[in-house]
Amino acid sequence: MTELSSRQLRAFLTLAEQRNFTRAANLSHLSQPAFSALIRTLEDALGTRLFDRDTRSVQLTPEGKLFETAAQRLLDDMNGAIADLADHVERRKGRVRIAALPSLAAGWLPAVLAEFMATWPGIRVDLDDALSDACIARVRSGSADFALASSGDGTVADSDLLSRKLCSDRFHLVCRADHPLATEPKLSARKLAPWPFIQMARHSSVRQSLDVALHPLRMNAVFEVEHLATVMGLVEAGLGISVVPALTLFHFRRDTLVTRPLPVGGLTRTVNIVQRREGSLSVAAQTLHDLVVARLGNLNLD
Amino acid sequence: MTELSSRQLRAFLTLAEQRNFTRAANLSHLSQPAFSALIRTLEDALGTRLFDRDTRSVQLTPEGKLFETAAQRLLDDMNGAIADLADHVERRKGRVRIAALPSLAAGWLPAVLAEFMATWPGIRVDLDDALSDACIARVRSGSADFALASSGDGTVADSDLLSRKLCSDRFHLVCRADHPLATEPKLSARKLAPWPFIQMARHSSVRQSLDVALHPLRMNAVFEVEHLATVMGLVEAGLGISVVPALTLFHFRRDTLVTRPLPVGGLTRTVNIVQRREGSLSVAAQTLHDLVVARLGNLNLD
DNA sequence: GCGCTTTACGCTGCGCGTAAGTATC
DNA sequence: GATACTTACGCGCAGCGTAAAGCGC
């Protein structure tokens, strides 16, 4: 198996261009004999003379001409590959695929993504807003670099996934400003139970984490809807109250509505950042990961 | 400027495939620490980790995956270039462009070319049958590797061309079998002069070398034609005699005709093999060149 | 404790520069 | 004899193998 180095290729091309050992040696920062030996080594490796040299002139043999084309292309490709890799390492190029709960994707993430994309304009970011289980499935299958989800740590603890707590997301009551609970001095989950309640659909992560947080308390559900915007409409119409995580409160910022934090005891959901246990993140993904942690980590929302 | 060697690429790809330093090291015929150092050197050169390794598992980083594709292609291209060069050196591939006088192209060369092409079936041979000056021009311009021509050595002696005598080509009388000269005991140029003579066209190399050989004698020309086949027809019809080099006698091998060598004194033309003084021949061209010299060199024809 | 990678460390030899040799014009 | 490539030769350091040390599991 023939050995070949980029030094040899560069030396060869330099000599092919200069047609003079001394000049080519200087350009290569080598003594002339050392350069001569380098060329000889290459010729020996390839099994043929590449240059005709007498004391007056140096020029490519026909075989040398043949190799010149190939060598030029090889070196260009090599430099291209190196530059491409460097672009990724220096974050001029790249791609990050992130999966996040819809509430995060709509609420907190956009600002972080905007900052990231402004800093690293060459990096493409794919955002997949999916429910918690789907997010985790994406990470597991490799179609997302990491995910922001609210599954309990236990869910993925023993598996191939690594899940770390990013922040707590406190639950808030949302009701009309004229609702008795809007002015109730000491809120508690139990006090909410009698009132007509607008639930999220059973498969939504907000609902699932709420069920866990309230257990064993049951709400007096009068509606069960898919979208938080619908919850907002129903609450505003006076048809009921609801309880949602702080991350989703932007849906409810209206004069007609009141949002009030519920007591801390258990009434929080945890937002986890999930990645594969084996296999590090790409430079781009790690950078976004770190930015997400820096901006959202250890944040006890409202 | 980043250095890269084929060893490094091969080591990288072996490790990417084996995902185990020890196995990859054995496959590379290196000790495991030496192999480890080789990978580390590559990673340092590229400025990034290519493998995630803990003691249990070794696998490509995202950047490593990126480089894997490029490395595979680089190595394939490199091996391709080396193999292509070897094919030329081993004469499995190649091209020879040869220019030769029509008389040589029709007479002696075909057998040599047939031998050459049978021995080296992968080598393409281009034959250009042209007059002497055109042959030499082809060589000078680089559109032929070498030429077989009859120009005097002086013509190209001081130039960029190298002309060496290949063989002598003795002139022969051609006449009808019933012609008085067919049985003339002691032939000489002078004895031919009175008889009606079929000339070749003034620009043909046969004519030019004949003029030189006979000088200052003038023949009694009754026709001046382009092609030797025409000369043959005219002679056979009894319209005259002619004098042609031995190389062309195959045109006149007929029962109705007689061919007789003329005395050696001056009545020969020299066939030269001409190549550029600078720049060696390709392996393929040199091989054909040597075969031509071996088969036709030092041959005093008839 | 076992398996695998990394670190430590002497040693060989490749490849460098200097200097002398050789060939061509 | 001037110029430019090649050979000769001593030397330093890159890179090898052996042996010991980390490090997960």
Side-chain angles (χ1 to χ4, degrees), chain B residues 20-22 32-33 36 53 55 58:
Chain B
N20 176 302
F21 275 75
T22 308
Q32 194 277 326
S36 212
R53 55 262 212 193
T55 45
V58 173

Coordinates of all heavy atoms in Angstrom, one line a residue, chain B residues 20-22 32-33 36 53 55 58, chain C residues 1-8 25:
Chain B
N20 N -12.6 0.4 17.9 CA -11.8 -0.3 18.9 C -10.3 -0.1 18.6 O -9.8 -0.5 17.5 CB -12.1 -1.8 18.9 CG -11.3 -2.5 19.9 OD1 -10.1 -2.5 19.8 ND2 -11.9 -3.2 20.9
F21 N -9.6 0.6 19.5 CA -8.2 1.0 19.2 C -7.3 -0.2 19.0 O -6.5 -0.3 18.1 CB -7.7 1.8 20.3 CG -8.0 3.3 20.2 CD1 -9.3 3.8 20.4 CD2 -7.0 4.2 19.8 CE1 -9.6 5.1 20.3 CE2 -7.3 5.5 19.6 CZ -8.6 6.0 19.9
T22 N -7.5 -1.2 19.9 CA -6.6 -2.4 19.8 C -6.8 -3.1 18.5 O -5.8 -3.4 17.8 CB -7.0 -3.3 21.0 OG1 -6.9 -2.6 22.2 CG2 -5.9 -4.5 21.1
Q32 N -0.7 -0.6 20.0 CA -1.9 0.2 20.3 C -1.6 1.6 20.7 O -2.2 2.6 20.2 CB -2.7 -0.5 21.4 CG -4.1 0.0 21.5 CD -4.1 1.2 22.4 OE1 -3.3 1.3 23.3 NE2 -5.0 2.2 22.1
P33 N -0.6 1.9 21.5 CA -0.2 3.2 21.9 C 0.2 4.1 20.7 O -0.1 5.2 20.5 CB 1.0 3.1 22.9 CG 0.7 1.8 23.5 CD 0.2 0.9 22.4
S36 N -2.8 5.0 18.8 CA -3.5 6.0 19.5 C -2.8 7.4 19.3 O -3.5 8.4 19.0 CB -3.4 5.7 21.0 OG -4.5 6.2 21.7
R53 N -14.2 8.6 23.0 CA -13.8 7.3 23.6 C -13.9 7.3 25.1 O -13.4 8.2 25.7 CB -12.4 6.9 23.1 CG -11.3 7.8 23.3 CD -11.0 8.6 22.1 NE -9.6 9.0 21.9 CZ -9.2 9.9 21.0 NH1 -10.1 10.5 20.2 NH2 -8.0 10.2 20.8
T55 N -13.6 4.0 28.1 CA -12.9 2.7 28.1 C -13.8 1.7 27.5 O -13.4 0.6 27.0 CB -12.5 2.3 29.5 OG1 -13.6 2.5 30.4 CG2 -11.3 3.0 29.9
V58 N -15.9 3.3 21.6 CA -15.2 4.3 20.7 C -16.2 4.6 19.6 O -16.6 3.6 18.9 CB -13.9 3.7 20.2 CG1 -13.3 4.7 19.1 CG2 -12.9 3.4 21.3
Chain C
dG1 P -9.3 -7.1 43.3 OP1 -8.8 -7.9 44.4 OP2 -8.9 -5.7 43.2 O5' -9.0 -7.9 42.0 C5' -9.9 -9.0 41.8 C4' -10.5 -8.9 40.4 O4' -11.2 -7.6 40.2 C3' -9.5 -8.9 39.2 O3' -10.1 -9.6 38.1 C2' -9.3 -7.4 38.9 C1' -10.7 -6.9 39.1 N9 -10.8 -5.5 39.3 C8 -10.1 -4.7 40.1 N7 -10.5 -3.5 40.1 C5 -11.6 -3.4 39.2 C6 -12.4 -2.4 38.8 O6 -12.3 -1.2 39.1 N1 -13.3 -2.8 37.8 C2 -13.5 -4.1 37.4 N2 -14.4 -4.3 36.5 N3 -12.7 -5.1 37.8 C4 -11.8 -4.7 38.7
dC2 P -9.2 -10.3 37.1 OP1 -9.2 -11.8 37.3 OP2 -7.9 -9.6 37.0 O5' -9.9 -10.0 35.7 C5' -11.3 -9.7 35.8 C4' -11.7 -8.9 34.5 O4' -11.8 -7.5 34.8 C3' -10.7 -9.0 33.4 O3' -11.3 -9.1 32.2 C2' -9.9 -7.7 33.5 C1' -11.0 -6.7 34.0 N1 -10.5 -5.5 34.8 C2 -11.2 -4.3 34.7 O2 -12.1 -4.2 33.9 N3 -10.7 -3.3 35.4 C4 -9.7 -3.4 36.2 N4 -9.3 -2.3 36.9 C5 -9.0 -4.6 36.3 C6 -9.4 -5.7 35.6
dG3 P -10.5 -9.4 30.8 OP1 -11.2 -10.5 30.2 OP2 -9.1 -9.5 31.1 O5' -10.8 -8.1 29.9 C5' -12.2 -7.7 29.8 C4' -12.1 -6.3 29.1 O4' -11.7 -5.3 30.1 C3' -11.2 -6.2 27.9 O3' -11.8 -5.5 26.9 C2' -10.0 -5.4 28.5 C1' -10.6 -4.6 29.6 N9 -9.7 -4.3 30.7 C8 -8.8 -5.1 31.2 N7 -8.2 -4.6 32.2 C5 -8.7 -3.3 32.3 C6 -8.4 -2.2 33.2 O6 -7.6 -2.2 34.2 N1 -9.2 -1.1 33.0 C2 -10.1 -1.0 32.0 N2 -10.8 0.1 31.9 N3 -10.4 -2.0 31.2 C4 -9.7 -3.1 31.4
dC4 P -11.2 -5.4 25.4 OP1 -12.3 -5.6 24.4 OP2 -9.9 -6.2 25.4 O5' -10.8 -3.9 25.3 C5' -11.8 -2.9 25.7 C4' -11.1 -1.6 25.9 O4' -10.4 -1.6 27.2 C3' -10.0 -1.2 24.8 O3' -10.3 0.0 24.3 C2' -8.7 -1.2 25.6 C1' -9.2 -0.8 27.0 N1 -8.3 -1.2 28.1 C2 -8.0 -0.3 29.1 O2 -8.5 0.8 29.1 N3 -7.2 -0.7 30.2 C4 -6.7 -1.9 30.2 N4 -5.9 -2.2 31.2 C5 -6.9 -2.9 29.1 C6 -7.8 -2.5 28.1
dT5 P -9.5 0.6 23.0 OP1 -10.4 1.0 22.0 OP2 -8.3 -0.2 22.7 O5' -8.9 2.0 23.7 C5' -9.8 2.9 24.3 C4' -9.1 3.8 25.2 O4' -8.4 3.1 26.2 C3' -8.0 4.7 24.5 O3' -8.2 6.0 24.7 C2' -6.7 4.2 25.1 C1' -7.1 3.6 26.4 N1 -6.3 2.6 27.0 C2 -5.6 2.8 28.1 O2 -5.6 3.8 28.8 N3 -4.8 1.7 28.5 C4 -4.6 0.5 27.9 O4 -3.9 -0.4 28.3 C5 -5.4 0.4 26.7 C7 -5.3 -0.9 25.9 C6 -6.2 1.4 26.3
dT6 P -7.3 7.2 24.1 OP1 -8.1 8.4 23.8 OP2 -6.5 6.5 23.0 O5' -6.2 7.5 25.2 C5' -6.7 7.9 26.5 C4' -5.6 8.0 27.5 O4' -5.0 6.7 27.7 C3' -4.4 8.9 27.1 O3' -4.2 9.9 28.0 C2' -3.2 7.9 27.0 C1' -3.6 6.8 27.9 N1 -3.0 5.5 27.6 C2 -2.1 5.0 28.5 O2 -1.8 5.5 29.5 N3 -1.6 3.7 28.1 C4 -2.0 3.0 27.0 O4 -1.4 1.9 26.8 C5 -2.9 3.6 26.1 C7 -3.3 2.9 24.8 C6 -3.4 4.8 26.4
dT7 P -3.1 11.0 27.8 OP1 -3.6 12.3 28.4 OP2 -2.7 11.0 26.3 O5' -1.9 10.5 28.6 C5' -2.0 10.3 30.0 C4' -0.7 9.7 30.6 O4' -0.5 8.3 30.1 C3' 0.6 10.4 30.3 O3' 1.3 10.7 31.5 C2' 1.3 9.5 29.3 C1' 0.8 8.1 29.8 N1 0.9 7.1 28.8 C2 1.7 6.0 29.1 O2 2.3 5.8 30.1 N3 1.8 5.0 28.1 C4 1.1 5.1 26.8 O4 1.3 4.2 26.0 C5 0.3 6.3 26.6 C7 -0.4 6.4 25.3 C6 0.3 7.2 27.6
dA8 P 2.7 11.4 31.5 OP1 2.7 12.1 32.8 OP2 2.8 12.2 30.3 O5' 3.7 10.3 31.5 C5' 3.6 9.2 32.4 C4' 4.9 8.3 32.4 O4' 4.8 7.3 31.4 C3' 6.2 9.1 32.0 O3' 7.2 8.6 32.8 C2' 6.4 8.7 30.5 C1' 5.8 7.3 30.5 N9 5.3 6.9 29.2 C8 4.5 7.6 28.4 N7 4.2 7.0 27.2 C5 4.9 5.8 27.3 C6 5.0 4.7 26.4 N6 4.4 4.7 25.3 N1 5.8 3.7 26.8 C2 6.5 3.8 28.0 N3 6.4 4.7 28.9 C4 5.6 5.7 28.5
dC25 P 24.2 20.4 -21.9 OP1 22.8 20.2 -22.3 OP2 25.3 19.6 -22.6 O5' 24.5 21.9 -22.1 C5' 23.8 22.8 -21.3 C4' 24.6 24.1 -21.0 O4' 25.7 23.7 -20.1 C3' 25.2 24.7 -22.2 O3' 24.8 26.1 -22.4 C2' 26.8 24.7 -22.0 C1' 26.8 24.5 -20.5 N1 28.1 23.8 -20.1 C2 28.9 24.4 -19.1 O2 28.6 25.5 -18.6 N3 30.0 23.7 -18.7 C4 30.4 22.6 -19.3 N4 31.5 22.0 -18.8 C5 29.6 22.0 -20.3 C6 28.5 22.6 -20.7

